[in-house]
Amino acid sequence: TMQQREHAAGGADPTTSFQFALEQRLQCQQCRHVRYAAERGVSSLAVPVPAPYATARKPVAAAGSENADLASSTAEAGRPAPVEVDLQDCLAALFREDARSFACSVCKTNTVLKSTSKFLSLPTVLFIPVNRFVIGPNYVIEKLDAQVHAPLELDLESFRAGPHPEDELLFPED
């Protein structure tokens, strides 16, 4: 890999500008025990198009605007017009709290586990591919026609992990 060649030659690793760390927090909703897991050396962050945008079909632009030609060309082709979504909404969908069923080893019950992910560290350059594929009707994979608007500078502080509360009950180590 490029990392191995550069490191062997004594040069700087060009991939470090893209690397960051994520923290996952898991909490049993019955006994409230918590586990933290860190994933280091991550270099890209695939974000989904949020669910409301995945099902919405609205025109891209009003007549006379710079995107009006795109909206009219898709309408003439018989396809729904692309939807517009902000990158901040895609990031919020990725970092939202998730709940799933869980067999807790502490309270010995089948319960709900809540999971959240946050940034432990931020990269100099963040590579963000957008996952535009969803499972549609009849379990067929469909590509979303979505325009994602990204600002030149992105505020990621709301997605950054904070200090762990001292009074949390941690899961015992396996």
Side-chain angles (χ1 to χ4, degrees):
T1 67
M2 181 182 255
Q3 281 179 309
Q4 293 167 334
R5 281 193 304 256
E6 290 291 328
H7 185 65
D13 182 358
T15 64
T16 57
S17 296
F18 296 94
Q19 293 180 352
F20 58 94
L22 291 173
E23 176 182 78
Q24 185 178 32
R25 180 181 186 272
L26 307 170
Q27 183 176 29
C28 172
Q29 295 302 289
Q30 185 73 29
C31 65
R32 313 303 285 177
H33 278 76
V34 176
R35 173 170 290 145
Y36 291 94
E39 184 179 359
R40 301 191 188 284
V42 181
S43 59
S44 71
L45 192 67
V47 297
V49 173
Y53 296 101
T55 56
R57 298 287 188 230
K58 63 182 181 179
V60 171
S65 73
E66 63 185 53
N67 291 330
D69 292 337
L70 176 61
S72 64
S73 67
T74 56
E76 290 169 8
R79 299 186 322 248
V83 295
E84 291 184 345
V85 61
D86 289 326
L87 181 58
Q88 200 72 23
D89 294 335
C90 295
L91 287 166
L94 177 70
F95 288 112
R96 79 182 186 329
E97 188 174 73
D98 185 32
R100 57 187 82 146
S101 61
F102 173 67
C104 181
S105 61
V106 174
C107 62
K108 309 287 189 225
T109 61
N110 289 328
T111 184
V112 174
L113 177 79
K114 290 210 174 168
S115 169
T116 55
S117 293
K118 300 279 185 177
F119 284 108
L120 268 177
S121 64
L122 296 172
T124 305
V125 178
L126 182 59
F127 178 65
I128 307 177
V130 178
N131 185 358
R132 298 174 196 266
F133 294 92
V134 296
I135 297 176
N138 301 323
Y139 301 100
V140 175
I141 296 175
E142 296 177 356
K143 184 175 181 183
L144 299 174
D145 192 6
Q147 290 183 347
V148 179
H149 299 283
L152 292 177
E153 290 190 23
L154 192 59
D155 182 14
L156 299 173
E157 284 304 313
S158 62
F159 305 115
R160 195 171 201 151
H164 302 167
E166 291 182 22
D167 59 343
E168 281 186 326
L169 298 172
L170 297 177
F171 276 107
E173 295 297 320
D174 294 332

